Amino acid sequence: MKILLLSAYDAESHRRWYQTLMAAFVDIEWTVLALPPRYFSWRLRGNSLSWAFGQRQVLEGEYDLVLATSMVDLSALRGFVPHLAAIPTIVYFHENQFAYPANEQQFASIEPRMLNIYTALAADTIVFNSAYNRDTFLIGAGQLLAKMPDQVPAGLVQQLTARSQIIPVPIRAVSPLAERIPNQRLQVLWNHRWEYDKGPDRLLSAVKLLVSRQANVDLHIVGQQFRQQPAAMAELKTLLEQQQSIALKHWGYIEEPAEYGRCLAAADVVLSTAVHDFQGLSVLEAVAAGCIPLVPDRLCYTEWFSSDYLYLSDVDAPAKEAEALVSRLLELIALKQQQCLPEPPALEPLLLSSLIPVYKQLFSGLLKEQGSTK
């Protein structure tokens, strides 16, 4: 089988997803076109131009399937390169443009959301990494189309729903997966991109409460950083340097996989304060490595974890949410001192070994379906 993989905004999580598939399906002949994850609005609208007139020879190759991320301007690309229109195509949604929380830099135009709809309609099969991702896309698409003044064909959302399925990104094993490192103090890991949608301001509020209550806890604040960082991160660093009860064990991005594995092995709890997460890979990978999740009861987290691992979500009242988070953390600190921490939840359905046959069926099923219609 030959697959053309198109990643129009090649973010780290997108790259990790298809590299995992390529390593799992070595019998497939993969051809990859990827564009750097920068200049978002140009990349979103310009990828079809960049590829159709810069990589036409590659696009006109012989392929059995096209596997594209949702950032690909698929309808325009199939128009520019008619050869692609005859190839069965899967679009994979790592995220959708309807469920991002607003901030001062958010793209005001409806174009990113409309392009999501066009790309989904141009695909034969649409795959989402979570039910939360699928549902927010379908609801958002329906609401947006309902606002259009006229000439909106009936049944578009129903078409999209019929083509949709959920297959998560496989959780990778972080090496080495050492045994838990003994420590009397609770080890708490926050391992997210340092951007506004991961809730750094909510993390700061929670840490302020922990400091005020002189909680004895060790923090590991890690994750991908960018040139511009939320002001809350600098304030958090200053706060942690000026108090006594909380020890800061890690700060910043850990590039070396083995070192990151040791960080996971040191942590008891993986914490999320996110206001946007479509699958929560950083949390899931930490749980697979033995960490106990402590996450808000919103977004995709309620799909993966029972209420035992959730704290009260209140997006509109961050102070109230911080109280709920800290209350759960204080309980875990007491349990750690008694050596009675709960076990992390099992995640077998999300592991690569469980998902390989699901992806195999996705590829072969579409080929069979398309072949029967010809």
Side-chain angles (χ1 to χ4, degrees), residues 6-11 13-14 17 35-48 51 67-77 90-97 100 111-113 115-120 276 278:
L6 302 174
S7 180
Y9 194 83
D10 203 39
S13 58
H14 296 200
W17 164 72
L35 294 169
R38 56 176 182 259
Y39 313 127
F40 175 79
S41 38
W42 158 241
R43 191 69 73 230
L44 192 69
R45 201 63 183 96
N47 64 78
S48 56
W51 280 333
L67 180 57
T69 66
S70 59
M71 296 291 194
V72 175
D73 186 4
L74 186 61
S75 60
L77 191 61
I90 300 164
V91 168
Y92 194 90
F93 275 74
H94 293 85
E95 66 280 296
N96 73 75
Q97 297 301 310
Y100 279 98
E111 189 168 39
R113 285 167 281 168
L115 281 170
N116 263 187
I117 295 173
Y118 294 158
T119 289
H276 150 238
F278 288 105

Side-chain angles (χ1 to χ4, degrees), residues 47-65:
N47 64 78
S48 56
L49 284 175
S50 300
W51 280 333
F53 298 98
Q55 297 286 349
R56 196 172 196 89
Q57 185 175 359
V58 175
L59 294 174
E60 291 185 336
E62 293 302 317
Y63 305 105
D64 298 297
L65 285 175

Side-chain angles (χ1 to χ4, degrees), residues 19-228:
Q19 288 175 347
T20 299
L21 292 183
M22 290 169 68
F25 292 96
V26 293
D27 55 330
I28 292 176
E29 184 178 329
W30 297 87
T31 299
V32 177
L33 289 181
L35 294 169
R38 56 176 182 259
Y39 313 127
F40 175 79
S41 38
W42 158 241
R43 191 69 73 230
L44 192 69
R45 201 63 183 96
N47 64 78
S48 56
L49 284 175
S50 300
W51 280 333
F53 298 98
Q55 297 286 349
R56 196 172 196 89
Q57 185 175 359
V58 175
L59 294 174
E60 291 185 336
E62 293 302 317
Y63 305 105
D64 298 297
L65 285 175
V66 174
L67 180 57
T69 66
S70 59
M71 296 291 194
V72 175
D73 186 4
L74 186 61
S75 60
L77 191 61
R78 281 182 143 186
F80 287 140
V81 188
H83 173 75
L84 291 175
I87 303 174
T89 299
I90 300 164
V91 168
Y92 194 90
F93 275 74
H94 293 85
E95 66 280 296
N96 73 75
Q97 297 301 310
F98 293 94
Y100 279 98
N103 83 328
E104 65 277 5
Q105 296 177 329
Q106 187 178 27
F107 200 90
S109 170
I110 67 168
E111 189 168 39
R113 285 167 281 168
M114 289 301 297
L115 281 170
N116 263 187
I117 295 173
Y118 294 158
T119 289
L121 286 169
D124 299 296
T125 297
I126 312 162
V127 181
F128 296 88
N129 58 359
S130 68
Y132 168 75
N133 190 2
R134 177 200 59 193
D135 294 347
T136 54
F137 169 73
L138 293 173
I139 292 169
Q143 290 173 341
L144 180 60
L145 291 171
K147 293 177 181 178
M148 298 300 103
D150 63 4
Q151 300 296 317
V152 177
L156 292 180
V157 174
Q158 288 77 7
Q159 288 185 44
L160 296 173
T161 302
R163 298 182 203 173
S164 297
Q165 55 182 290
I166 299 164
I167 306 178
V169 174
I171 301 172
R172 65 174 180 172
V174 179
S175 181
L177 295 182
E179 293 182 3
R180 315 314 300 159
I181 298 175
N183 194 304
Q184 288 302 309
R185 291 163 61 92
L186 189 72
Q187 306 294 308
V188 178
L189 170 69
W190 187 91
N191 60 340
H192 306 273
R193 284 184 288 102
W194 290 19
E195 292 187 295
Y196 80 98
D197 61 310
K198 299 307 180 186
D201 54 331
R202 293 165 187 268
L203 174 64
L204 175 61
S205 296
V207 172
K208 284 180 177 178
L209 277 178
L210 288 171
V211 170
S212 71
R213 296 174 190 182
Q214 297 185 324
N216 292 313
V217 64
D218 292 352
L219 290 183
H220 307 257
I221 309 296
V222 304
Q224 188 178 11
Q225 301 169 57
F226 304 92
R227 188 165 49 186
Q228 292 185 335

